Amino acid sequence: MTPPIVPGKNGMATVLLSHPSGSSADVYLNGAHVTSWIPAGGKEVLFMGKTASFAPGDPIRGGIPVVFPQFANTGPLPQHGFARKTEWQLAETADADDPTSVKLVLVDDHKTRELWPYHFRTELVATIDEKSLEVKLEVFNTGDEVFSFTSALHTYLAVSDIRESAIRGFTGKWYLDKTQGGNETKDEAKKLVISDETDRVYLKAPKKVEVEDRGNDRRIEVRAAGFKDAVVWNPWAEKVTGFIGLDTDDYMRMVCVEAAQIGSPVELKPGTSWVGSQTLALV
């Protein structure tokens, strides 16, 4: 069977993925946004803001926003680009009867070209199995001039208590500390325990890190391919209310760990493509 498109929150078009093991995921066409992934026999892995907006053209707070073609405010475009606020289309696929996977497509139009004057095609494929979720992003240059972009899969992971959580795998890696004006710092800690505002861009990041969510008695592996960098973010108590969609105590139950391409933008020549992916897995 084809993954069904059903009305999600506020009637917005949503694809429901299901696996014979019982795992499931929800993917909104608005932003090609994965808002839920529940592994077989487990609890929700993705965090959603308590007051997240579900409206066409609004970014959804939580889940996995698609950052393209600009990370944060590193260029002239709106924060994190336009892909996360644009309606994507369901693609025709050869294996249309697979309820464990969906492909969504975003192609340039007059609205995107007013912001970013290039011809492109972007495809997002979300696939689940019993204990993992893979999100793959592919960008094609369909025009006749070179363009460059930055990107990320801005993944919000749900944890029972951030104070009882830790991230392993970044030891010895360099990062830009955006809470300190972008200073480059070496991570010397054996594990990253978040206890304050954290906004780090790890350059040349490891391909695999692990989030220990002790309160839920689980470990979530975050694997990346194609993306060179990684971001770790938590706004903490003072700043959390400055973000639309986050409630005052939401920072206690989330951490963003995301595959990203920031330090060296991707340069795409006409007729070429780039692909990056991120896999979440319970280990």
Side-chain angles (χ1 to χ4, degrees):
M1 57 174 277
T2 305
I5 292 185
V6 301
K9 290 191 177 177
N10 296 333
M12 293 174 72
T14 310
V15 177
L16 303 183
L17 300 183
S18 60
H19 186 269
S21 64
S23 70
S24 65
D26 299 351
V27 188
Y28 277 68
L29 268 59
N30 186 77
H33 197 126
V34 183
T35 58
S36 170
W37 172 50
I38 302 173
K43 296 179 180 177
E44 178 63 67
V45 173
L46 299 178
F47 168 86
M48 289 299 300
K50 274 187 192 167
T51 55
S53 168
F54 285 84
D58 281 1
I60 301 170
R61 176 68 65 186
I64 308 179
V66 177
V67 174
F68 173 84
Q70 174 187 294
F71 181 81
N73 54 0
T74 54
L77 297 179
Q79 173 90 354
H80 287 327
F82 50 73
R84 66 185 184 138
K85 299 187 281 189
T86 307
E87 185 92 353
W88 294 49
Q89 302 300 315
L90 196 58
E92 296 292 328
T93 57
D95 196 5
D97 58 352
D98 181 5
T100 66
S101 186
V102 65
K103 180 192 283 189
L104 300 177
V105 178
L106 179 65
V107 179
D108 64 277
D109 60 18
H110 69 280
K111 286 183 182 174
T112 67
R113 289 192 299 272
E114 282 175 8
L115 291 167
W116 197 60
Y118 301 107
H119 294 277
F120 69 90
R121 173 185 173 90
T122 306
E123 297 178 354
L124 181 132
V125 179
T127 306
I128 58 170
D129 65 16
E130 183 179 2
K131 296 289 186 185
S132 73
L133 162 71
E134 181 194 61
V135 178
K136 183 171 73 172
L137 184 69
E138 190 159 6
V139 182
F140 301 83
N141 183 341
T142 58
D144 53 12
E145 55 184 314
V146 175
F147 63 68
S148 64
F149 64 89
T150 49
S151 180
L153 295 171
H154 191 347
T155 306
Y156 288 73
L157 297 174
V159 294
S160 70
D161 186 333
I162 190 67
R163 296 166 299 186
E164 294 181 14
S165 305
I167 305 169
R168 301 177 188 274
F170 287 120
T171 308
K173 298 296 181 181
W174 290 87
Y175 64 91
L176 305 178
D177 189 342
K178 295 178 78 177
T179 69
Q180 302 293 326
N183 285 350
E184 196 162 350
T185 306
K186 191 175 185 180
D187 190 338
E188 304 282 14
K190 286 186 178 175
K191 60 183 181 179
L192 172 56
V193 178
I194 292 175
S195 57
D196 204 347
E197 182 193 357
T198 302
D199 193 354
R200 299 180 175 187
V201 177
Y202 284 87
L203 302 169
K204 299 177 182 170
K207 295 303 174 195
K208 180 173 71 176
V209 298
E210 189 176 284
V211 178
E212 185 183 358
D213 177 15
R214 282 200 291 279
N216 282 320
D217 191 27
R218 67 183 179 187
R219 290 176 297 138
I220 306 161
E221 195 172 81
V222 183
R223 300 195 297 265
F227 290 97
K228 290 182 179 174
D229 309 319
V231 175
V232 177
W233 179 70
N234 183 299
W236 212 250
E238 296 77 29
K239 291 197 175 176
V240 66
T241 52
F243 291 92
I244 294 170
L246 291 179
D247 218 351
T248 49
D249 58 352
D250 274 352
Y251 74 96
M252 294 294 291
R253 293 186 300 276
M254 59 152 276
V255 61
C256 284
V257 181
E258 51 197 280
Q261 187 79 23
I262 301 166
S264 53
V266 176
E267 281 216 353
L268 267 195
K269 294 176 181 175
T272 65
S273 65
W274 169 90
V275 64
S277 68
Q278 177 176 265
T279 301
L280 307 179
L282 291 193
V283 290

